[in-house]
Amino acid sequence: MQLSGQWLDGQQSRSAHGVLRVAADGALYRDGQGQPFAELAELTIPARLGSMPRTLVLANGWRFVCDQHEALDQLMQRQGRQGLRLVDRMERSGRAVLIGTLLVIGGAFGAYQYGVPALAQSTAEALPDDLLDEMSQQALYELPLDRSELPLARQQQIRDGFVRLLRANDLNPSDFRLHLRSAPKIGPNAFALPSGDIVLLDQLVALTDHDDQWLGVLAHELVHVEARHGLRGVLQGAYGALLVTLMTGDASAATGPLVELPRILLESGYSRDMEREADALGAEMLRRAGGDPAQLAVMFERLAEQGSSELPGWLRSHPDHDERIKALRESNSSARFSR
């Protein structure tokens, strides 16, 4: 077999036209030389990339540029590299490219939809309590919170109700900390951090006319703590960014969420599935404590009326209020009927 192409000696950039002859025994001859200068086994032949010329590399540093692809493919077969022909055929097949693209997209979607949440949940459950405390304290420090202005008797009533709620659901009160605070700039709300710290704002308490309303909100936030929803949301974002990095090569997409974890913990909302879980389980917790879950629906209605787009992401009125309120009322009706 004889190939035509350009020789490069590996030392100069100038090339020279010549031929590469391959004998039946695998000996390689350059131009008209009578003695072999290499063996076929020493020749590196790259896979075909469209119709672009291929650069063959020899162990002694010489290179040979050739575009006789059919002949080169035959040499690759003689070297036992037949699998590359299959790759080449797939690269040149429109159907194979389309199928491969769909498989990559499907795999990425599956990883993001199912793999990332599962990985985030397992990571969240494995993180040590000391780290959660440190992140949560930093997050609390960044909030514009003032001392509660509620009467001391009212504060004690809320704290007693919180303890009663915990004990009714077999939760250890020492694992949680209730913070009663005032935040006029934030408005009526409550939120939970992975460390077990739950903040209830005076502005939310002011909207209530029944104790089960603020108690239901605390039950809702307890579910977020127990399931580590906030931390899972942050980790899902970080792992999702890492997945994008693996696909695009943009490392900045992955490092940002990890570096600013405490801030993101505050600004990230919960997913709809997490909210539905907190609604349903929070209602059950309230019911075990002798409360009325219908009052939680009333509380959500009032919070929806107070919604503001200027609030941070995690404090904005949650999406699908009508759906969630309806689900709470239906759940409460079903529970009463089952009795």
Side-chain angles (χ1 to χ4, degrees), residues 39-328:
E39 296 292 331
L40 179 60
E42 302 171 356
L43 183 65
T44 300
I45 306 174
R48 183 190 301 203
L49 184 60
S51 59
M52 293 181 60
R54 286 186 265 183
T55 300
L56 286 59
V57 181
L58 291 129
N60 58 14
W62 280 78
R63 290 175 293 169
F64 186 72
V65 181
C66 178
D67 60 1
Q68 295 176 245
H69 296 297
E70 295 301 327
L72 292 175
D73 288 343
Q74 292 179 24
L75 290 180
M76 293 177 71
Q77 289 187 57
R78 288 176 61 178
Q79 289 180 326
R81 300 168 61 195
Q82 298 182 14
L84 293 177
R85 287 184 57 84
L86 174 60
V87 173
D88 173 60
R89 289 197 299 270
M90 291 179 66
E91 288 178 344
R92 289 186 290 170
S93 169
R95 178 179 296 181
V97 170
L98 177 60
I99 294 175
T101 302
L102 293 176
L103 287 174
V104 170
I105 294 175
F109 176 80
Y112 189 85
Q113 187 73 13
Y114 303 105
V116 167
L119 182 60
Q121 181 174 355
S122 62
T123 304
E125 293 173 352
L127 289 178
D129 293 338
D130 290 345
L131 178 59
L132 298 182
D133 285 338
E134 182 178 350
M135 289 192 302
S136 299
Q137 292 306 312
Q138 182 177 345
L140 284 172
Y141 179 76
E142 296 180 4
L143 290 171
L145 300 178
D146 301 323
R147 289 179 178 273
S148 173
E149 297 179 359
L150 295 175
L152 293 180
R154 180 64 161 160
Q155 292 187 39
Q156 189 59 50
Q157 179 193 15
I158 294 174
R159 295 186 184 280
D160 291 344
F162 182 61
V163 172
R164 185 177 72 253
L165 176 68
L166 292 172
R167 288 176 174 167
N169 288 275
D170 297 324
L171 296 175
N172 188 349
S174 63
D175 292 337
F176 303 89
R177 292 182 293 269
L178 176 62
H179 303 268
L180 300 178
R181 296 290 185 269
S182 176
K185 293 182 180 180
I186 294 177
N189 228 299
F191 60 93
L193 292 169
S195 58
D197 292 275
I198 296 177
V199 177
L200 180 65
L201 301 182
D202 292 357
Q203 288 70 28
L204 183 143
V205 178
L207 291 180
T208 66
D209 56 16
H210 193 291
D211 290 346
D212 287 346
Q213 292 168 6
W214 53 259
L215 193 61
V217 171
L218 292 178
H220 177 95
E221 299 301 331
L222 277 172
V223 176
H224 284 318
V225 173
E226 284 293 281
R228 299 198 171 183
H229 283 162
L231 190 58
R232 284 164 53 189
V234 173
L235 291 171
Q236 282 181 208
Y239 286 141
L242 180 59
L243 180 62
V244 172
T245 297
L246 293 176
M247 297 182 66
T248 66
D250 182 10
S252 63
T255 56
L258 292 174
V259 171
E260 301 187 23
L261 192 85
R263 182 185 61 79
I264 296 175
L265 187 63
L266 289 176
E267 295 183 354
S268 300
Y270 301 113
S271 72
R272 291 183 178 182
D273 288 341
M274 291 177 181
E275 286 298 343
R276 292 190 185 100
E277 182 180 13
D279 288 347
L281 297 182
E284 286 299 318
M285 292 179 70
L286 181 59
R287 186 178 290 112
R288 293 192 197 101
D292 181 7
Q295 294 298 329
L296 182 56
V298 173
M299 189 72 256
F300 282 170
E301 289 175 337
R302 294 180 182 174
L303 286 174
E305 295 171 358
Q306 298 291 321
S308 171
S309 61
E310 298 180 356
L311 298 179
W314 55 268
L315 289 174
R316 291 180 194 144
S317 295
H318 296 303
D320 299 329
H321 267 286
D322 291 341
E323 174 190 341
R324 296 172 62 197
I325 291 169
K326 179 181 177 182
L328 278 171

Side-chain angles (χ1 to χ4, degrees), residues 1 21-29 36-41 75 78:
M1 179 185 296
R21 184 162 56 89
V22 184
D25 60 358
L28 302 181
Y29 297 85
F37 76 110
E39 296 292 331
L40 179 60
L75 290 180
R78 288 176 61 178

